[in-house]
Amino acid sequence: MILHASGLSLPGRLTEASLDIAGGELVGLVGPNGSGKTSLLHALAGIGRPSGTVLLDGVDPRTLSPAQRPAWLTYLPASRDVAWPLLARDLIALGGGGSSVAGLDLDALLDRRVDTLSTGERSRVLIARALAPRPKLLLLDEPTANLDPLWQIRLMERIREEIAGGGRAALVAIHDLDAAAHHADRVLVMDGGRIAAEGLDGPHVAAIFGVERVSGRWREADRRSSP
Amino acid sequence: MSWRAFLPPLLAAAFAASLLLPLAPLLGLDRGLAIAVLVELRLPRALLALAYGATLAASGAAIQALFANPLASPDLTGTTSGAALGAVVTAYLFGFAAPVALSLGAVLGALAALALLLALAGPKAETATLLLAGLAISALAGALTTLALALAPSPFAFYDAYDWLMGSLIDRSLDQAAFAAVPGVLTILLLLRHGPALDRLALGEDVAQSLGDDVVRLRVEIVCLTAFGVGACVAICGAIGFIGLVAPIFARRLTRGHPGRAILPAAMIGALLLSLADLAVRLAPLGRTLPIGVVTALIGAPFFLWLVAHMRWRLRS
């Protein structure tokens, strides 16, 4: 197992979450707004003093120094704001893994200031920051938000490529259920601050999300059919 | 990076100029007296200009990095006025002749002001909230300072305090200079240690935490350090504005926008700016000496206005 986590809690946001992720796995994380996706990523990344156990390859990442940490895990927040007008290459380098990443078409962006980039371009730069240290575990909060359809596909394939070969894994929070089902090896479903279910087949989808798939399209679930 | 090459010689030149200018009075004196003027009068003043300028600017750079906001600075966040209030209250109780108590009072005042700011505006305050909270704290500290002065036992004490409040580097002894310079330099050295963490903070508080930084502790340490350095300097020289705002902004141009890396160049630029302001005070043909705080405000305030106009887009968001 790359990741073994158990009993992870953040007061008021996340309750007793336990999960294991194997090397090479791309795990999708879905759930309604406020269901705890970001909180689970936070707890795994050591943000906000979570309680519970996190082991990466048997090591508690909280015992690692800031210099070591990026090689073990990186976290991409959902926000694309950057407070200071840094050059893209400098921003990527602040993540601790060099200043360039292949496969994100960054060449034209590296020498531009991040405040002059479009939101989608800035997203790619911030994603590059998380990928650059080649960590064992990638924790990505809505990496495809703000990206155009082509880049949404390219990025998920890029993440897949990144963790291929075994020793690395990714946990990716995502809103698009189809994209989650398509790109992820398995999908965890969050609800009310807990990991409530696994997979996107079954009555729990309508119960948790209030939507159901009818002849290939998602629509609001018929309330009578939900348990 | 070229600033490493050109800032130190500029600083040395400013220091030499602080000692030697104006030259005429020195040449008119006999050797022993000239040396006395250099060592007793001009050396403390030149050292204070360097140390106070550097402390204000390094603190400003650290506070700006911490609040992720280029408009945060010791004076605009109320730190300087808090320190001044602390010092005036202490002076009221113990007199101006007790430098240790005065320094302690100023440091406590600065600390209280910064703690109040964090409580009012929060650590990730928008520019408008930060400036309004800073303004409120400055106004409160200023009013309380005026009240303390109005209740002063003698007009003489009032005049002393008023003179000191305007900010002045004149007539300080070498001992007094040390009381400001030693805490100041210590503050800068300790702030430099936090440079890499403050740079990582540019990625956002959450990411910095995920990279292993203890952001809460970082915040407490930066607040205490800047209160310590700025408080100690205010206790000796009074409140001097705008250096802590302006110097870091120039410094970040030398570090490609890195807020943490900017602490060292900011310190050098701050030392340079205050030395130049003091030279301007000394050499201006006005017949009497202007308070140096007035000079930095006269130059700094228009710069501040330009800055606010320049980043209106940021204020809106």
PDB file of all heavy atoms in Angstrom, chain B residues 228-240:
ATOM      1  N   PHE B 228       9.012  43.155  18.504  1.00  0.00           N
ATOM      2  CA  PHE B 228      10.248  43.322  19.275  1.00  0.00           C
ATOM      3  C   PHE B 228      11.167  44.348  18.605  1.00  0.00           C
ATOM      4  O   PHE B 228      11.604  45.326  19.227  1.00  0.00           O
ATOM      5  CB  PHE B 228      10.941  41.957  19.390  1.00  0.00           C
ATOM      6  CG  PHE B 228      12.277  41.984  20.072  1.00  0.00           C
ATOM      7  CD1 PHE B 228      12.407  42.386  21.388  1.00  0.00           C
ATOM      8  CD2 PHE B 228      13.416  41.586  19.376  1.00  0.00           C
ATOM      9  CE1 PHE B 228      13.649  42.399  22.008  1.00  0.00           C
ATOM     10  CE2 PHE B 228      14.657  41.584  19.986  1.00  0.00           C
ATOM     11  CZ  PHE B 228      14.774  41.998  21.311  1.00  0.00           C
ATOM     12  N   GLY B 229      11.441  44.154  17.319  1.00  0.00           N
ATOM     13  CA  GLY B 229      12.369  45.033  16.606  1.00  0.00           C
ATOM     14  C   GLY B 229      11.832  46.442  16.462  1.00  0.00           C
ATOM     15  O   GLY B 229      12.506  47.423  16.819  1.00  0.00           O
ATOM     16  N   VAL B 230      10.597  46.550  15.962  1.00  0.00           N
ATOM     17  CA  VAL B 230      10.011  47.873  15.737  1.00  0.00           C
ATOM     18  C   VAL B 230       9.800  48.587  17.075  1.00  0.00           C
ATOM     19  O   VAL B 230      10.090  49.775  17.215  1.00  0.00           O
ATOM     20  CB  VAL B 230       8.676  47.759  14.957  1.00  0.00           C
ATOM     21  CG1 VAL B 230       7.965  49.093  14.891  1.00  0.00           C
ATOM     22  CG2 VAL B 230       8.938  47.234  13.550  1.00  0.00           C
ATOM     23  N   GLY B 231       9.323  47.838  18.084  1.00  0.00           N
ATOM     24  CA  GLY B 231       9.106  48.429  19.403  1.00  0.00           C
ATOM     25  C   GLY B 231      10.379  49.016  19.971  1.00  0.00           C
ATOM     26  O   GLY B 231      10.397  50.153  20.455  1.00  0.00           O
ATOM     27  N   ALA B 232      11.477  48.265  19.896  1.00  0.00           N
ATOM     28  CA  ALA B 232      12.742  48.736  20.455  1.00  0.00           C
ATOM     29  C   ALA B 232      13.210  50.000  19.740  1.00  0.00           C
ATOM     30  O   ALA B 232      13.715  50.931  20.381  1.00  0.00           O
ATOM     31  CB  ALA B 232      13.800  47.637  20.348  1.00  0.00           C
ATOM     32  N   CYS B 233      13.037  50.044  18.415  1.00  0.00           N
ATOM     33  CA  CYS B 233      13.461  51.228  17.664  1.00  0.00           C
ATOM     34  C   CYS B 233      12.569  52.430  17.968  1.00  0.00           C
ATOM     35  O   CYS B 233      13.057  53.550  18.144  1.00  0.00           O
ATOM     36  CB  CYS B 233      13.459  50.937  16.162  1.00  0.00           C
ATOM     37  SG  CYS B 233      14.813  49.872  15.638  1.00  0.00           S
ATOM     38  N   VAL B 234      11.259  52.198  18.048  1.00  0.00           N
ATOM     39  CA  VAL B 234      10.335  53.294  18.346  1.00  0.00           C
ATOM     40  C   VAL B 234      10.651  53.885  19.722  1.00  0.00           C
ATOM     41  O   VAL B 234      10.597  55.101  19.925  1.00  0.00           O
ATOM     42  CB  VAL B 234       8.863  52.817  18.274  1.00  0.00           C
ATOM     43  CG1 VAL B 234       7.920  53.861  18.859  1.00  0.00           C
ATOM     44  CG2 VAL B 234       8.474  52.508  16.837  1.00  0.00           C
ATOM     45  N   ALA B 235      11.009  53.014  20.674  1.00  0.00           N
ATOM     46  CA  ALA B 235      11.313  53.494  22.028  1.00  0.00           C
ATOM     47  C   ALA B 235      12.456  54.505  22.011  1.00  0.00           C
ATOM     48  O   ALA B 235      12.455  55.454  22.787  1.00  0.00           O
ATOM     49  CB  ALA B 235      11.663  52.318  22.934  1.00  0.00           C
ATOM     50  N   ILE B 236      13.411  54.330  21.129  1.00  0.00           N
ATOM     51  CA  ILE B 236      14.566  55.231  21.088  1.00  0.00           C
ATOM     52  C   ILE B 236      14.330  56.415  20.157  1.00  0.00           C
ATOM     53  O   ILE B 236      14.688  57.552  20.471  1.00  0.00           O
ATOM     54  CB  ILE B 236      15.840  54.467  20.626  1.00  0.00           C
ATOM     55  CG1 ILE B 236      16.112  53.295  21.559  1.00  0.00           C
ATOM     56  CG2 ILE B 236      17.049  55.402  20.570  1.00  0.00           C
ATOM     57  CD1 ILE B 236      16.382  53.676  23.001  1.00  0.00           C
ATOM     58  N   CYS B 237      13.735  56.175  19.005  1.00  0.00           N
ATOM     59  CA  CYS B 237      13.672  57.215  17.963  1.00  0.00           C
ATOM     60  C   CYS B 237      12.277  57.729  17.661  1.00  0.00           C
ATOM     61  O   CYS B 237      12.120  58.577  16.780  1.00  0.00           O
ATOM     62  CB  CYS B 237      14.267  56.699  16.666  1.00  0.00           C
ATOM     63  SG  CYS B 237      15.936  56.095  16.834  1.00  0.00           S
ATOM     64  N   GLY B 238      11.248  57.198  18.312  1.00  0.00           N
ATOM     65  CA  GLY B 238       9.911  57.628  17.967  1.00  0.00           C
ATOM     66  C   GLY B 238       9.412  56.953  16.701  1.00  0.00           C
ATOM     67  O   GLY B 238      10.087  56.092  16.136  1.00  0.00           O
ATOM     68  N   ALA B 239       8.212  57.371  16.267  1.00  0.00           N
ATOM     69  CA  ALA B 239       7.579  56.697  15.132  1.00  0.00           C
ATOM     70  C   ALA B 239       8.036  57.309  13.811  1.00  0.00           C
ATOM     71  O   ALA B 239       7.955  58.511  13.618  1.00  0.00           O
ATOM     72  CB  ALA B 239       6.069  56.798  15.271  1.00  0.00           C
ATOM     73  N   ILE B 240       8.543  56.462  12.921  1.00  0.00           N
ATOM     74  CA  ILE B 240       8.929  56.910  11.578  1.00  0.00           C
ATOM     75  C   ILE B 240       8.167  56.063  10.567  1.00  0.00           C
ATOM     76  O   ILE B 240       8.247  54.832  10.598  1.00  0.00           O
ATOM     77  CB  ILE B 240      10.450  56.792  11.368  1.00  0.00           C
ATOM     78  CG1 ILE B 240      11.178  57.754  12.309  1.00  0.00           C
ATOM     79  CG2 ILE B 240      10.814  57.080   9.918  1.00  0.00           C
ATOM     80  CD1 ILE B 240      12.683  57.685  12.229  1.00  0.00           C
TER      81      ILE B 240
END
